[in-house]
Amino acid sequence: MNEKLQKRIMQLKTERNATILAHNYQLPQVQDIADIVGDSLELARAAKSIECDAIVFCGVDFMAETAHILNPEKTVLLPAEEACCPMAAMITADEVRMLRRRFPDAAVVSYVNTTAEVKAESDICCTSSNAIKVVESLDEEQVIFLPDKNLANYVARFSSKEILPWEGFCFVHDRITSNDVHRALQNHPDAKLIVHPECRPEVIDMADLVFSTSGMIKHVCSASEKEFIIGTEIGILHQMKKKCPDKICYPLSPEAICINMKKIDLVEICKSLELLQPRITVPQDIASRARKAIEKMLEL
Ligand code: 13P
Ligand code: SF4
């Protein structure tokens, strides 16, 4: 069944002149048929540079929106329309405008995990891999950082600027606790602990290293150590097994599953390429303002 579907997807990909991008949290079979698998920054960069007519975005809504903002002339498909990021829905454009009135001297940095409307109200975007660099690139000494309070707190550790966090969070990372860390370290005392900056401060305090998803994969592959406990969504373990099969990676929490990232399977990809639906579009006025914030980040 999978083989037949894979073959049909490849056929349609050529017919449609399409490229498949997949986030590191996607299902293994989706990662395996993708042209590029990566973290949010890598996928945004890929979306800007690839030559094709259609992008099949295997990820969540804000990622497909970002791809469309950077490529208004291309067809951007999100094979499961309902694949959304709950954190991105935790702040609205009205709330950003309210923050600007309250803190008129502050710059607004929005994580890419936001809606296009929120990006349009922001000075610059960031991802988990460049958040510190983005904040440090600004002239302002006061920075509104949204929507992830955990990423904001992580950035504040490295910056002398005043960071004003919004109270959003990722339900997958925020529910990883220090008890999970104690349990994992007890079971694997020789393993190095690597966590995502969307984790709570007490979990970050216990980690050996903090990286974006692709940063974690690169580190595991190049490190001299053999065993790692991985504190992020478990889909990433598939890329680790593929890229560095000699390493042993354990999930910090086997329950760290983003159901939104699992809504796309081969059937949805195939259907999406057949019908060129569901298409993700962003109204032009919002897209042109959001593009400035995204491109400012990509230029760094
Ligand atoms: P990165 O892959 O950029 O580290 O982001 C993780 C994430 O939660 C994306 O939704
Ligand atoms: Fe959103 Fe968290 Fe899922 Fe990433 S893992 S898409 S931040 S809910």
Side-chain angles (χ1 to χ4, degrees):
M1 169 70 169
N2 266 6
E3 244 173 70
K4 222 170 131 189
L5 264 173
Q6 278 166 354
K7 228 172 128 189
R8 181 70 187 132
I9 289 170
M10 291 307 152
Q11 231 175 13
L12 284 165
K13 225 174 62 136
T14 314
E15 277 170 33
R16 306 292 197 207
N17 188 22
T19 301
I20 303 179
L21 303 183
H23 188 264
N24 289 318
Y25 296 161
Q26 288 289 297
L27 291 170
Q29 58 272 33
V30 173
Q31 295 186 25
D32 289 347
I33 52 120
D35 296 293
I36 299 168
V37 182
D39 67 10
S40 308
L41 184 62
E42 288 170 333
L43 295 178
R45 285 199 193 283
K48 193 173 150 76
S49 59
I50 42 178
E51 300 279 332
C52 60
D53 296 325
I55 297 174
V56 183
F57 214 115
C58 302
V60 287
D61 51 1
F62 73 83
M63 297 178 172
E65 273 189 356
T66 301
H68 186 256
I69 290 166
L70 293 170
N71 297 279
E73 74 295 346
K74 287 186 185 130
T75 301
V76 176
L77 304 165
L78 180 64
E81 209 166 10
E82 67 286 6
C84 59
C85 170
M87 173 156 67
M90 286 180 186
I91 185 156
T92 64
D94 269 349
E95 285 167 328
V96 183
R97 286 190 283 268
M98 176 273 289
L99 286 169
R100 278 214 188 266
R101 283 194 297 273
R102 230 172 110 198
F103 304 103
D105 297 331
V108 176
V109 176
S110 69
Y111 196 22
V112 282
N113 301 41
T114 44
T115 61
E117 288 84 353
V118 165
K119 289 184 179 77
E121 297 296 329
S122 307
D123 294 305
I124 188 165
C125 289
C126 76
T127 72
S128 63
S129 69
N130 64 12
I132 299 165
K133 194 171 164 189
V134 165
V135 165
E136 290 306 289
S137 75
L138 299 166
D139 292 333
E140 291 84 348
E141 282 306 312
Q142 204 179 34
V143 175
I144 297 166
F145 192 101
L146 53 93
D148 187 7
K149 62 177 177 185
N150 290 333
L151 183 59
N153 286 331
Y154 178 67
V155 170
R157 295 176 187 225
F158 300 91
S159 179
S160 57
K161 294 180 193 274
E162 186 189 359
I163 310 287
L164 307 166
W166 187 250
E167 285 298 299
F169 60 90
C170 161
F171 74 97
V172 179
H173 292 89
D174 196 63
R175 73 176 172 211
I176 298 176
T177 64
S178 47
N179 279 343
D180 293 319
V181 177
H182 288 305
R183 202 174 307 123
L185 287 173
Q186 221 163 36
N187 291 338
H188 313 290
D190 297 329
K192 290 279 170 210
L193 174 64
I194 310 179
V195 305
H196 194 275
E198 287 176 15
C199 287
R200 293 174 180 209
E202 61 269 29
V203 170
I204 289 182
D205 285 341
M206 297 164 93
D208 294 302
L209 291 158
V210 181
F211 283 122
S212 76
T213 56
S214 288
M216 288 181 178
I217 298 167
K218 280 176 203 136
H219 179 80
V220 167
C221 290
S222 64
S224 55
E225 294 91 354
K226 202 168 165 57
E227 278 183 78
F228 299 89
I229 298 164
I230 305 297
T232 192
E233 213 274 349
I234 61 167
I236 195 174
L237 297 172
H238 182 66
Q239 274 305 299
M240 287 173 174
K241 253 182 242 154
K242 273 181 88 165
K243 292 208 166 122
C244 33
D246 55 319
K247 302 293 167 86
I248 307 166
C249 298
Y250 312 100
L252 172 53
S253 163
E255 280 150 35
I257 299 171
C258 177
I259 44 166
N260 311 287
M261 283 281 184
K262 310 299 185 203
K263 289 190 172 156
I264 298 169
D265 204 345
L266 299 187
V267 175
E268 286 77 21
I269 296 174
C270 194
K271 213 163 117 189
S272 178
L273 276 165
E274 294 264 14
L275 305 173
L276 288 180
Q277 291 289 343
R279 281 183 202 211
I280 300 298
T281 54
V282 178
Q284 222 183 335
D285 57 322
I286 293 168
S288 67
R289 287 186 294 133
R291 191 176 305 120
K292 282 188 196 139
I294 301 167
E295 283 186 337
K296 208 166 158 196
M297 165 186 83
L298 295 176
E299 278 157 21
L300 283 181

